Amino acid sequence: MSRISGNPTLRTEHVYGLTLRVARWREGAPGMPLLFLNGIGADIGAAAPLLAQIHDREVWTLDMPGVGGSPDALLPYGAPTMAAIVMEVADRLGHKQVDLAGFSWGGALAQQVAVQFPGRVRRLVLMATTPSVGAPGIGWAALLDDDMLASGLKLPTATPLGLAYQTMAMAGWTSAAMLPHLKNVPVLILMGARDGVVPACHGQAIADLIDGAVLEVVPGSHLFPFTHAAATATRISAFLDEPAAQQAAA
């Protein structure tokens, strides 16, 4: 019996020399599936309390190499390579188009996916993330995050090599030149009001680069998607369900 919230279906995918654990909630549900990309060192179990509360659609995510149920990669990888791997998994699951959400490190990867694969991302949710990873290890400060200390959450489930490769993949990465080309994709940016890891000004920087992007500063610090999971799930669902005309007018 699965101990992961919501009892997702778990499977293993072998892609480009990597072995990746994939989780699917409400597999086969109608409507556009939601792909969630997690923060550095965080696995499926850490995301589950949020993802299990996003109803009326399939939701899926995966453990990055060296995290949770995915063994270490043999070689380092870059953001474009991991974006291609993620979308290859989407193809194997039968998803030619997805809604996409990303948290922190996963929010940076989500930006890469959205720009690298135009037409395959219908709507984009970015949480507690940045358009420029100026220094390696941005996710480590989450260990001292106020909400994390109060909640007792334990996010890092990665091997040392897994953390090193995730850090290397985004070291010096930036989407600043790419985001202005992200057209016809409604974007919701959620930032924590007390986030000392990725302050809300990073979300404003993203919003300034994407025409029509909606920025909301919400209660909580860096881990608000998990410590305020019910409210975050409700807001994500409302955004994904908005009629296109309403989003265009926002």
Side-chain angles (χ1 to χ4, degrees), residues 115-242:
V115 175
Q116 188 172 332
F117 293 92
R120 296 203 60 183
V121 175
R122 186 188 68 140
R123 296 178 184 177
L124 179 63
V125 181
L126 302 173
M127 296 176 283
T129 194
T130 178
S132 298
V133 182
I138 191 170
W140 281 110
L143 294 175
L144 301 177
D145 178 87
D146 290 343
D147 281 348
M148 177 150 186
L149 294 173
S151 69
L153 283 171
K154 297 179 180 179
L155 287 188
T157 58
T159 67
L161 186 61
L163 282 174
Y165 282 177
Q166 276 197 277
T167 300
M168 291 168 61
M170 288 299 177
W173 173 92
T174 180
S175 62
M178 302 185 291
L179 292 182
H181 301 287
L182 191 61
K183 302 181 184 298
N184 303 316
V185 177
V187 179
L188 173 65
I189 306 160
L190 301 176
M191 305 296 292
R194 296 183 292 105
D195 191 340
V197 180
V198 185
C201 61
H202 288 255
Q204 184 63 61
I206 296 172
D208 289 343
L209 291 167
I210 304 174
D211 287 342
V214 175
L215 170 64
E216 297 179 9
V217 179
V218 301
S221 49
H222 189 61
L223 298 179
F224 72 85
F226 310 127
T227 58
H228 296 68
T232 303
T234 297
R235 184 63 188 99
I236 291 173
S237 295
F239 171 71
L240 298 181
D241 290 338
E242 284 178 4

Side-chain angles (χ1 to χ4, degrees), residues 15-16 18 20 35 37 60 62 77-92 109 112-114 116-117 120:
V15 186
Y16 303 151
L18 297 176
L20 302 171
L35 163 60
L37 299 174
W60 66 280
L62 69 162
Y77 53 85
T81 298
M82 186 51 64
I85 288 168
V86 166
M87 295 314 287
E88 172 64 22
V89 175
D91 283 338
R92 295 184 183 187
L109 182 59
Q112 180 71 42
V113 170
Q116 188 172 332
F117 293 92
R120 296 203 60 183

